[in-house]
Amino acid sequence: MVTGVAIARDALDRIVAETAADPGREVCGLLLGTPTRIAVALPCPNVAADPAIRFEIDPARLLAAHRAARGGGPAVIGSYHSHPTGLAMPSPRDAADAAPDGALWLIAGAGRVTGWRAVPNGALHGRFDRVALRYADGTATRCAIIED
């Protein structure tokens, strides 16, 4: 079963623009909002040893976002990253790195952005279930989910 999540247009536009501006490396950031609505895409430095093939969100930025949420700001509900030379779907490495905590993962690649939720026993790689994206105003996004 594919569930749905609303995303603010400017959040999705930011991910698309950031990915296009740095096509040779995995860009990454945090998703802020509620479990069913992405309000903000917050770009973060990729501090991985080789950002062309892996992403690691700057721990200082992650801690700051959690502190801000505890202070009344939007909750950290997941992350996004790009696959510069791959598809917009989680890789086996993503599955190995993902905690099965229900967090949202948006992945940009091959001109698409797709949504996933990290869960125990997910349909993809035993870790991810698909999440359909729609704009927060209820209209369909230009970013389709991966079709079977």
Side-chain angles (χ1 to χ4, degrees), residues 10-131:
D10 58 338
L12 184 58
D13 290 346
R14 173 170 282 190
I15 293 168
V16 170
E18 185 182 355
T19 299
D22 202 353
R25 56 186 285 133
E26 292 196 16
V27 300
C28 61
L30 297 171
L31 302 172
L32 308 177
T34 69
T36 59
R37 186 178 187 281
I38 301 164
V40 175
L42 179 66
C44 295
N46 181 348
V47 298
D50 188 353
I53 61 168
R54 191 167 189 150
F55 86 99
E56 182 180 342
I57 292 174
D58 180 356
R61 191 68 66 90
L62 179 60
L63 288 172
H66 281 291
R67 263 190 224 109
R70 283 194 308 272
V76 177
I77 57 169
S79 64
Y80 68 89
H81 72 282
S82 63
H83 287 169
T85 59
L87 299 175
M89 60 188 302
S91 67
R93 180 181 309 224
D94 291 333
D97 290 346
D101 58 4
L104 289 169
W105 284 57
L106 297 191
I107 301 176
R112 298 172 71 172
V113 176
T114 59
W116 305 86
R117 194 171 299 277
V119 296
N121 304 310
L124 183 64
H125 306 306
R127 181 59 70 222
F128 293 102
D129 283 342
R130 294 187 313 185
V131 174

